[in-house]
Amino acid sequence: MTTALNSDPTPAATDRPLPAGSRSEHLTFGRVLRSELIKLTTLRSTWWSLGITALLAVGISLMIASALESSRASAAEVGATFDYAAVTAIVAPMQFTMLVAGIFGAMAITGEYSTGMIRSTLTAEPRRSTVLIAKAVTVAALLIATTVVSSLVAILVTAPIFGDSGIDWSDPAGSTIPLLYSLLAMASFGLLGLGFGFIVRNGAGAIAATVGVLFVLPIVTNMFVMGGEAWQWVVDLGKYLPMSAAQVLTTPGSEDIGTAIVSLLAWPVAALVGGWLILRTRDA
């Protein structure tokens, strides 16, 4: 058994169809998915991460809603900027909750490497691509569910603040569409962290990489605005970062939605593909 666990799997062996009669022949994707869900939901760190995400989302929404409504009352000359104030208050906390989502995704796999549970996981299901996909689906589903709940609560608690100027549900472009994009964004942030976790296999390293892409790089690229036209290309590159793309998608009336969607999805896909290549060629 020790030899089997420590041997380097080859690409041909990791995803080869299992022989008939083997023990893992009946381990369907649904069962793998269920096992990943059980592993994540039985960890206290999962509930802490998701709970903090929800609390931040609702609390920041309340503060933004109060600030926007106060500004509306005291600055009528900028009233045009408040057309979508109610939905802005709901999606704006994503600038902070994205970090928790990314860290949650990284911890979902690095925790298994730190405890050695990844060996048991790959022994039960040798098809490593199946394990990665199941983890990705589980992480995305939990973050989407958390975002749905926190958004609903935020809508309810901010509705009395905005009163008649609340969300206009008859206008999908200014209500449901930005909210749906926020679900996609949170799932993407979590999957980016998961991908870095598979690549780095270390909690601190994966979290540092995730925070670097989601938080540090946007600040760095924006600093080059001071460099003038000569450095404008760096500022333009910043538009393709995950957070910049998410802001475009969740802002009603934004243009170039297609580029933003591609940018938002390309980062986690690239990270997960890189993680898959490392997972299938290296020992656990």
Side-chain angles (χ1 to χ4, degrees):
M1 179 65 70
T2 302
T3 303
L5 291 178
N6 293 332
S7 60
D8 288 330
T10 62
T14 52
D15 292 312
R16 181 184 299 169
L18 295 169
S22 65
R23 184 172 60 87
S24 297
E25 182 183 10
H26 302 293
L27 191 58
T28 63
F29 178 76
R31 292 181 178 180
V32 177
L33 189 63
R34 180 172 177 269
S35 68
E36 293 299 332
L37 182 62
I38 291 173
K39 280 192 290 186
L40 271 181
T41 55
T42 51
L43 293 173
R44 282 181 293 180
S45 60
T46 295
W47 296 108
W48 275 107
S49 298
L50 299 180
I52 291 172
T53 300
L55 287 175
L56 281 176
V58 175
I60 296 174
S61 289
L62 273 172
M63 290 189 291
I64 293 176
S66 299
L68 289 174
E69 191 60 23
S70 298
S71 298
R72 181 200 298 274
S74 60
E77 67 274 12
V78 293
T81 62
F82 293 98
D83 289 343
Y84 301 106
V87 74
T88 297
I90 306 303
V91 299
M94 182 179 60
Q95 300 180 54
F96 303 93
T97 57
M98 66 173 181
L99 294 177
V100 186
I103 292 171
F104 169 68
M107 291 171 56
I109 179 59
T110 57
E112 289 203 36
Y113 279 107
S114 63
T115 61
M117 181 176 285
I118 187 66
R119 295 184 177 89
S120 299
T121 299
L122 297 180
T123 299
E125 176 50 273
R127 295 170 297 182
R128 301 191 173 199
S129 57
T130 301
V131 172
L132 185 144
I133 294 172
K135 284 187 179 294
V137 171
T138 303
V139 168
L142 288 175
L143 285 172
I144 289 174
T146 301
T147 306
V148 168
V149 173
S150 60
S151 296
L152 289 175
V153 174
I155 290 171
L156 291 175
V157 298
T158 58
I161 297 176
F162 289 109
D164 294 336
S165 58
I167 299 176
D168 181 8
W169 297 106
S170 64
D171 178 18
S175 57
T176 53
I177 292 178
L179 293 174
L180 289 175
Y181 278 136
S182 71
L183 302 182
L184 176 64
M186 288 296 287
S188 296
F189 299 148
L191 294 179
L192 179 65
L194 180 67
F196 281 133
F198 273 110
I199 293 173
V200 180
R201 301 185 172 197
N202 173 270
I207 291 173
T210 303
V211 173
V213 171
L214 293 180
F215 185 73
V216 178
L217 280 182
I219 296 176
V220 172
T221 55
N222 285 333
M223 290 175 62
F224 282 87
V225 173
M226 299 180 293
E229 290 296 328
W231 294 97
Q232 183 61 38
W233 64 274
V234 178
V235 180
D236 293 337
L237 284 178
K239 299 176 182 178
Y240 299 97
L241 293 172
M243 189 57 216
S244 299
Q247 287 178 326
V248 170
L249 293 174
T250 56
T251 300
S254 294
E255 299 179 354
D256 205 6
I257 297 296
T259 300
I261 293 177
V262 172
S263 300
L264 183 63
L265 296 179
W267 282 91
V269 168
L272 288 172
V273 169
W276 172 69
L277 292 174
I278 291 175
L279 181 66
R280 72 195 298 264
T281 56
R282 288 187 185 176
D283 189 14

